[in-house]
Amino acid sequence: YKVTGVQTCALPIFAKPADWVLTAKVHDLLLCVPGVGAVKAAKLLQQCRVSGSKTVGGLSDRQRSELVALLRK
């Protein structure tokens, strides 16, 4: 799934999250990215095999790298 209009400032939030963002839900943060709505966020999570209730701090290295790679496309 192609994400258009992603600003580069959103990528570090997922790639190297600060302490304050670790408890935020990945789905909620994806909704804040320009060009990503509820349906696209759900498809991105499904493609990366991430639960909808997963927090940023709970992402595995594989999930985190796949998500960042998809957002860069």
Side-chain angles (χ1 to χ4, degrees), residues 19 24 42 45 50 57 61:
D19 291 340
L45 290 176
V50 175
D61 291 336

Side-chain angles (χ1 to χ4, degrees), residues 56-70:
V56 174
L59 289 174
S60 69
D61 291 336
R62 178 198 55 81
Q63 291 170 327
R64 187 178 314 279
S65 62
E66 284 182 12
L67 185 59
V68 169
L70 285 175

Side-chain angles (χ1 to χ4, degrees), residues 2-73:
K2 190 169 188 172
V3 180
T4 57
V6 175
Q7 299 174 355
T8 57
C9 62
L11 294 175
I13 292 174
F14 294 106
K16 294 186 180 186
D19 291 340
W20 56 268
V21 79
L22 294 177
T23 57
K25 302 233 183 253
V26 177
H27 183 266
D28 294 341
L29 286 177
L30 284 174
L31 293 177
C32 296
V33 174
V36 178
V39 173
K40 194 173 283 186
K43 289 179 180 179
L44 286 169
L45 290 176
Q46 182 181 15
Q47 190 171 354
C48 295
R49 293 172 280 173
V50 175
S51 168
S53 61
K54 183 73 80 172
T55 62
V56 174
L59 289 174
S60 69
D61 291 336
R62 178 198 55 81
Q63 291 170 327
R64 187 178 314 279
S65 62
E66 284 182 12
L67 185 59
V68 169
L70 285 175
L71 290 174
R72 281 193 175 135
K73 287 183 180 181

